[in-house]
Amino acid sequence: NAGVTQTPKFRVLKTGQSMTLLCAQDMNHEYMYWYRQDPGMGLRLIHYSVGEGTTAKGEVPDGYNVSRLKKQNFLLGLESAAPSQTSVYFCASSYGAGEAKNIQYFGAGTRLSVL
Amino acid sequence: AQKITQTQPGMFVQEKEAVTLDCTYDTSDPSYGLFWYKQPSSGEMIFLIYQGSYDQQNATEGRYSLNFQKARKSANLVISASQLGDSAMYFCAMREGQGYSSASKIIFGSGTRLSIRP
């Protein structure tokens, strides 16, 4: 029962470096999401996708890019990391968006530090 | 304005007691969904329970129940017979609307840290 898998689990970057976070789900979900979680706050939506080949901006998209080339994968990219992007990143997926289909299942998170 | 409010940043409860975690929400959309997630110290987000705005009965999942009071816009989580393993952060979340556009309208509260005393 893999569910939603995020890699890597931890990463330390220097300011200006780039990296890609990978999210893979094996539940055949249409919708996928990237969130960030900062201390004392709930999750904030960065980008999301409602199907293969589609992406859209969430609440805090600046400094991030995403791609959904395959239904099961959703990539989050940081082109030029900044200390403000130090956070815990969560990927989630859901079957759809109507009623109970919108239940999101989360990965274990990626802890990113930007020095 | 906050759309999801969790007024209890932290709570301590004796083991085996019932506990209620408060959540109030604000929306003008007649169609919405309410969720509760648990985040233990290990960090993962675990789905607990869901309530749709049109559901006539309060949702229940094992020891978890959602006290849904639509007129008061509250969706409190009730944990019966608390256990040490219930110690965690608990997040209330809301999804507004239905369909594709609702995917971007998912908002999380700031969470309540629940600690169970033996």
Side-chain angles (χ1 to χ4, degrees):
Chain A
N1 289 354
V4 180
T5 303
Q6 290 182 234
T7 52
K9 288 185 170 52
F10 303 94
R11 187 72 186 266
V12 178
L13 291 178
K14 294 182 179 179
T15 297
Q17 286 185 320
S18 64
M19 78 162 294
T20 300
L21 306 184
L22 172 63
C23 178
Q25 53 95 3
D26 62 1
M27 296 176 281
N28 201 34
H29 284 171
E30 288 293 334
Y31 289 36
M32 296 186 75
Y33 316 78
W34 276 106
Y35 291 91
R36 60 177 289 170
Q37 183 181 30
D38 299 299
M41 301 180 70
L43 278 68
R44 291 184 293 168
L45 184 65
I46 304 172
H47 286 280
Y48 65 99
S49 167
V50 299
E52 181 180 317
T54 74
T55 63
K57 295 180 181 180
E59 179 187 355
V60 288
D62 294 342
Y64 305 95
N65 56 75
V66 288
S67 64
R68 182 111 181 259
L69 299 179
K70 292 183 179 180
K71 185 177 182 178
Q72 63 268 33
N73 296 336
F74 195 29
L75 279 63
L76 177 71
L78 287 73
E79 289 190 348
S80 179
S84 60
Q85 293 177 305
T86 293
S87 188
V88 180
Y89 291 85
F90 285 97
C91 175
S93 70
S94 66
Y95 182 72
E99 296 299 322
K101 292 181 179 179
N102 195 250
I103 295 171
Q104 296 184 352
Y105 295 91
F106 284 81
T110 296
R111 189 173 296 275
L112 175 66
S113 294
V114 183
L115 306 177
Chain B
Q2 289 238 19
K3 290 199 169 187
I4 291 282
T5 303
Q6 295 182 253
T7 57
Q8 308 150 309
M11 288 184 70
F12 288 89
V13 173
Q14 204 68 31
E15 189 180 9
K16 299 182 184 177
E17 289 183 350
V19 57
T20 298
L21 305 182
D22 295 341
C23 174
T24 58
Y25 61 92
D26 184 29
T27 181
S28 57
D29 197 312
S31 176
Y32 54 91
L34 297 155
F35 307 80
W36 277 92
Y37 286 87
K38 173 184 179 181
Q39 187 176 41
S41 57
S42 52
E44 71 269 32
M45 295 285 287
I46 303 167
F47 166 73
L48 295 178
I49 197 166
Y50 168 84
Q51 180 86 41
S53 60
Y54 296 119
D55 293 344
Q56 295 296 315
Q57 294 188 325
N58 288 345
T60 60
E61 291 285 349
R63 293 187 300 113
Y64 304 107
S65 60
L66 200 152
N67 185 1
F68 182 46
Q69 298 188 39
K70 197 169 183 176
R72 298 178 63 182
K73 293 188 175 179
S74 74
N76 298 340
L77 177 70
V78 180
I79 305 174
S80 63
S82 57
Q83 303 171 355
L84 295 177
D86 294 333
S87 294
M89 280 288 284
Y90 288 81
F91 291 96
C92 179
M94 175 177 67
R95 180 262 306 153
E96 292 180 290
Q98 292 190 23
Y100 295 125
S101 64
S102 72
S104 66
K105 300 177 183 176
I106 302 166
I107 305 160
F108 283 78
S110 56
T112 295
R113 183 170 298 279
L114 177 64
S115 300
I116 308 297
R117 292 181 173 137

